[in-house]
Amino acid sequence: MADRQFRIYRASPHLARKRPLVALAIVCALAVNLRAQVRARVQASGFTFPVAYVQDPINRSTSFVVEQGGRIRVVRGASVLAQDFLDVSAAIVSGGEQGLLGLAFPPDAATSRRFFVDFTNRSGDTVIARFKRMADDAVADPATRFDLRWGGAGGQAFIFQPFGNHNGGNVAFGPDGYLYLGRGDGGSGGDPGNRAQNPQELLGKMLRVDVAVPDTDAVGYQIPSDNPFVSGVPIAARPEIWAFGLRNPWRYSFDDPAHGGTGALIIGDVGQNLWEEVDYEPRNRGGRNYGWRLREGTHAYDMSRPPAFTPLVDPIHEYGHNDGFSVTGGFVYRGSLLPANFRGRYFFADYGGRVWSLGLTIDPSTGEARAGDLVDHTAELRAGSAFASVSSFGVDADGELYICDYLNGRILKIIGPPAAPAAPTGLRIVR
């Protein structure tokens, strides 16, 4: 996709009213300053359609690269190990929006040895499977596979997927220790089954489950007692549901409290024909309805049926299809390689190959965020290492950011500006 200048900067209304030229100069200077301070370098390469980059919670020098075709590769430093961590390629269907799509480690990974993956089985349905590692931390034990059962011990060991797209696929543990599962609306176009607003459907939702159960548990999870619909208020709904009204939350993340973050959940929800959106949810603020299919972003889409409940929650940011076509959610930056003015900014992308960061202003009384100061980093990131597409972001043990370059099969690390030259010494005045 050709680089285009994104419609960006709004100055403070107060400042703009009094001194518009000064306001414009300040905002433009901020944008130029932020643009000049990021680069990308290749961290590892040789992958086939990487869709996730996940830090190993046990060994800070190890990360895992999830390949859509079914392999999870091991990266130690900048080296890719020959032995796969896991290979489920024989158990999945891959291609388009299907395949091995997500990986997450629980907070007790060091003792439980567990991890969880999301993949599309041979029938095209979604499986959330639990595995354990072998004695060698870099190798999983395929014999330990257990597929979570939905709706009780007699329930199906998969989530039915009526079409081959909008699978979601991300899996992530929140600061509360629970597993969050973003489910797409089931696919086709326009949510023809109105599943995202159906309280008895898991599709089109964010789910939240407690997987800290014994190995012998027949379901593989239990319902957290504070899930928002457990009590039937404001509506009776599946108890696994955390939030309604999502179209395809391909990638989402939590603002990591361990690195000074707020614990908020930030979701990149892929749009239909016109608008891509970013949703922000303060920590422990479930029970929201993000509006699909009634709305695409903040715009009316299909109002033929009423919402499951109101109010509908607006995204904090949206962009039109003149500037991209499929949002890739990222992370709030909490590392130290980038200059301090990047801390607390949200990095995200469009699959077509553009990368932005977005300033977040948090209301201390409500925890809600207001977005502003959008900056397009595509040109300077590509100058260091050209990439063709962005399928996902990752973060390491230090809070530093990585990009999954899907088509080129590489992992890129986002780094700061080159070190400034040393100040000259021994100067003297010559008269």
Side-chain angles (χ1 to χ4, degrees), residues 21 81 91 127-128 133 146 188 206 227-229 336 355:
L21 294 179
L81 302 190
V127 172
I128 307 299
R133 302 187 195 219
F146 176 84
S188 187
M206 183 66 69
N227 266 14
F229 301 101
S336 58
V355 178

Side-chain angles (χ1 to χ4, degrees), residues 262 280 282 285 360-370:
T262 65
Y280 187 95
R285 204 73 57 82
L360 300 175
T361 301
I362 311 299
D363 184 327
S365 63
T366 65
E368 301 288 353
R370 179 172 52 84

Side-chain angles (χ1 to χ4, degrees), residues 23-346:
L24 179 62
I26 290 173
V27 174
C28 288
L30 170 64
V32 170
N33 187 39
L34 287 171
R35 280 202 194 95
Q37 298 183 75
V38 298
R39 295 177 294 150
R41 73 174 185 218
V42 176
Q43 180 74 10
S45 60
F47 306 106
T48 303
F49 302 142
V51 294
Y53 181 81
V54 180
Q55 171 69 48
D56 184 353
I58 295 177
N59 185 338
R60 62 180 293 112
S61 69
T62 300
S63 296
F64 300 98
V65 175
V66 178
E67 295 183 339
Q68 186 179 3
R71 300 168 67 192
I72 299 179
R73 313 286 298 281
V74 184
V75 179
R76 286 259 167 89
S79 300
V80 182
L81 302 190
Q83 172 70 47
D84 289 341
F85 180 62
L86 180 70
D87 184 351
V88 294
S89 56
I92 74 170
V93 60
S94 178
E97 296 179 28
Q98 299 176 314
L100 177 60
L101 303 177
L103 165 68
F105 293 89
D108 67 348
T111 54
S112 71
R113 315 289 292 173
R114 289 176 173 180
F115 64 94
F116 295 80
V117 296
D118 178 307
F119 61 78
T120 313
N121 68 16
R122 303 293 292 179
S123 298
D125 299 316
T126 293
V127 172
I128 307 299
R130 183 185 73 210
F131 290 86
K132 288 188 176 184
R133 302 187 195 219
M134 303 186 83
D136 180 351
D137 289 343
V139 182
D141 183 355
T144 61
R145 173 180 163 180
F146 176 84
D147 300 347
L148 273 58
R149 292 189 170 273
W150 300 94
Q156 296 174 323
F158 58 85
I159 298 173
F160 172 65
Q161 185 76 17
F163 300 95
N165 58 338
H166 303 179
N167 301 273
N170 200 27
V171 288
F173 282 88
D176 51 19
Y178 297 133
L179 181 60
Y180 288 72
L181 305 165
R183 299 294 92 210
D185 64 9
S188 187
D191 190 8
N194 197 37
R195 293 179 170 88
Q197 294 296 323
N198 185 338
Q200 299 309 311
E201 286 268 9
L202 297 178
L203 298 175
K205 315 294 193 304
M206 183 66 69
L207 311 181
R208 177 186 188 239
V209 295
D210 179 3
V211 293
V213 297
D215 289 349
T216 55
D217 187 275
V219 177
Y221 69 89
Q222 57 189 6
I223 305 297
S225 61
D226 60 346
N227 266 14
F229 301 101
V230 167
S231 64
V233 177
I235 60 170
R238 292 284 295 267
E240 296 94 342
I241 297 174
W242 178 253
F244 274 67
L246 296 168
R247 182 178 179 274
N248 192 27
W250 165 245
R251 289 294 180 255
Y252 50 88
S253 65
F254 293 90
D255 185 6
D256 188 3
H259 287 97
T262 65
L265 171 62
I266 306 100
I267 305 168
D269 194 18
V270 179
Q272 178 70 35
N273 298 319
L274 297 174
W275 299 98
E276 304 298 308
E277 72 179 73
V278 175
D279 299 308
Y280 187 95
E281 182 178 288
R283 184 171 182 170
N284 297 329
R285 204 73 57 82
R288 296 188 167 200
N289 189 342
Y290 291 107
W292 175 252
R293 71 178 183 177
L294 291 93
R295 300 193 311 197
E296 181 186 10
T298 60
H299 309 268
Y301 180 78
D302 184 345
M303 311 290 285
S304 61
R305 296 190 190 183
F309 60 93
T310 57
L312 304 182
V313 178
D314 286 337
I316 62 165
H317 178 70
E318 64 181 3
Y319 64 91
H321 281 196
N322 287 332
D323 298 298
F325 60 88
S326 182
V327 66
T328 299
F331 289 84
V332 176
Y333 181 68
R334 296 293 177 186
S336 58
L337 286 180
L338 301 185
N341 53 352
F342 280 95
R343 287 185 63 82
R345 292 183 67 84
Y346 177 67

